[in-house]
Amino acid sequence: MPVPISEEKNPLKLFEIACSNPAPEMLEQFLLMVKHLYQYQIFQLILDLTATEISEKLLSFKLCDQRFFDLDAGNCKTIYGNSINQLFNRIRSRNKYQITIKKLSYDVIIHEMAHVIEKEVMINLQEFMGLISDDLGEAPTSIGLKQVVEQIFFTELKLYPEDQKPSELFARYFQILCLSKEISGLSSTGGYKLEQALTYFSNTTTWVNSVCKFNIISITDSQISTLSSQFLKKTEEVEHKWSEQKATSIHGPGPKNWGNIITSIKSDYFK
């Protein structure tokens, strides 16, 4: 029997109230996409911790149409400071975040959320770098996956300073999962399946589902996680309604290679 969802801990409601003065059609599309992502267990960790940050008034979203002169499709502003952690009833150093989404795309949304998670969770990025480097050392069996991996993890990453690459690699692991056919559907550019991506990044995926998962759960509101579990489905059971998810058509054409325009979190980016 489904657990009654209270408005206070309802993950989707939290995402809704976190959006400041959005255009109604953009908000509706954003919530549809968040709900779609929530069906996949690999994204539950990110979404639940993001919802937890929202519930503690530490994170907000700004949805706005991407203009032709915009150089990025999304970014995350970090505001450093102290606040009361209501979940654990203690004062600790907490950051506040504002995620701006200019182009509604699954990989843009997850990429920016992943940057927040990487900032909030105790993640050993050097350990992560070793694992994902091992994965990237092998050639993908899927031609589509190979092309996207080359673009996102090699061509585009060359543009980033060395000190930003670990953070970018973390966000781009989740980004490339979102570019699979099951997630992005008609707007998928690689034509590969989610399972192929998870298998290719086998070392990274194992680490995310063990070490990273434990660290994220430790600071996530358990009530939010319990409620969001009702959205989870097996990949083959997910019902695709691509007519409701025309993210690349209702807000203009926009760039096709998202990695070229996704901006990583920088402490001085908004100064």
Side-chain angles (χ1 to χ4, degrees):
M1 179 178 297
V3 179
I5 299 181
S6 66
E7 291 298 296
E8 184 182 355
K9 300 295 183 179
N10 181 344
L12 295 180
K13 188 65 178 179
L14 286 168
F15 276 97
E16 181 180 0
I17 65 176
C19 298
S20 57
N21 301 318
E25 65 277 6
M26 200 168 188
L27 175 60
E28 180 183 6
Q29 187 68 20
F30 174 70
L31 295 176
L32 279 173
M33 298 178 83
V34 170
K35 186 176 181 180
H36 179 64
L37 288 169
Y38 248 131
Q39 295 177 99
Y40 299 91
Q41 192 166 38
I42 193 69
F43 302 125
Q44 185 189 19
L45 295 171
I46 289 179
L47 294 165
D48 281 350
L49 185 50
T50 301
T52 298
E53 294 288 300
I54 295 170
S55 71
E56 296 180 356
K57 304 185 186 307
L58 296 172
L59 188 149
S60 62
F61 283 90
K62 181 180 179 182
L63 307 180
C64 54
D65 284 320
Q66 184 182 23
R67 306 303 180 184
F68 70 92
F69 51 80
D70 282 335
L71 298 179
D72 64 343
N75 54 63
C76 183
K77 177 181 179 181
T78 307
I79 304 169
Y80 298 97
N82 297 322
S83 66
I84 297 177
N85 183 338
Q86 297 174 357
L87 185 59
F88 298 104
N89 194 29
R90 65 172 182 263
I91 298 177
R92 54 171 288 199
S93 177
R94 298 298 302 273
N95 300 328
K96 289 187 176 182
Y97 305 93
Q98 182 184 70
I99 295 178
T100 299
I101 303 294
K102 299 180 183 179
K103 186 73 174 181
L104 283 176
S105 175
Y106 293 108
D107 57 313
V108 170
I109 293 170
I110 282 294
H111 183 110
E112 299 306 335
M113 288 187 196
H115 275 313
V116 173
I117 271 59
E118 179 255 317
K119 286 267 187 183
E120 284 296 301
V121 181
M122 293 186 62
I123 293 176
N124 186 331
L125 284 178
Q126 292 306 312
E127 179 183 17
F128 169 79
M129 283 278 287
L131 294 169
I132 198 167
S133 295
D134 287 343
D135 289 334
L136 290 169
E138 302 293 331
T141 55
S142 163
I143 295 177
L145 180 58
K146 181 179 180 180
Q147 292 174 338
V148 177
V149 165
E150 181 66 31
Q151 176 70 22
I152 292 178
F153 288 95
F154 293 97
T155 303
E156 294 169 8
L157 210 61
K158 291 179 182 178
L159 304 175
Y160 287 84
E162 286 299 319
D163 63 338
Q164 292 179 22
K165 288 183 178 180
S167 176
E168 276 300 305
L169 281 169
F170 182 78
R172 286 164 188 258
Y173 163 74
F174 293 98
Q175 176 188 348
I176 204 165
L177 301 183
C178 282
L179 289 170
S180 64
K181 291 192 293 186
E182 291 92 337
I183 310 300
S184 294
L186 299 177
S187 61
S188 173
T189 57
Y192 56 87
K193 294 183 178 180
L194 176 61
E195 188 58 36
Q196 289 176 304
L198 291 172
T199 300
Y200 174 67
F201 289 98
S202 58
N203 293 309
T204 307
T205 300
T206 299
W207 179 83
V208 167
N209 286 328
S210 55
V211 177
C212 188
K213 179 178 180 179
F214 175 80
N215 290 338
I216 292 177
I217 289 176
S218 68
I219 60 172
T220 298
D221 190 312
S222 60
Q223 293 183 61
I224 290 175
S225 297
T226 298
L227 292 170
S228 72
S229 294
Q230 297 178 80
F231 304 138
L232 296 175
K233 294 183 179 180
K234 295 180 180 178
T235 302
E236 62 271 17
E237 294 176 352
V238 175
E239 182 181 358
H240 300 287
K241 296 182 179 179
W242 302 124
S243 62
E244 297 180 357
Q245 301 169 24
K246 296 178 181 177
T248 58
S249 62
I250 65 172
H251 297 296
K256 292 183 178 180
N257 291 325
W258 288 109
N260 286 328
I261 52 177
I262 294 178
T263 305
S264 64
I265 292 178
K266 302 176 185 177
S267 59
D268 61 347
Y269 185 80
F270 287 84
K271 290 182 180 179

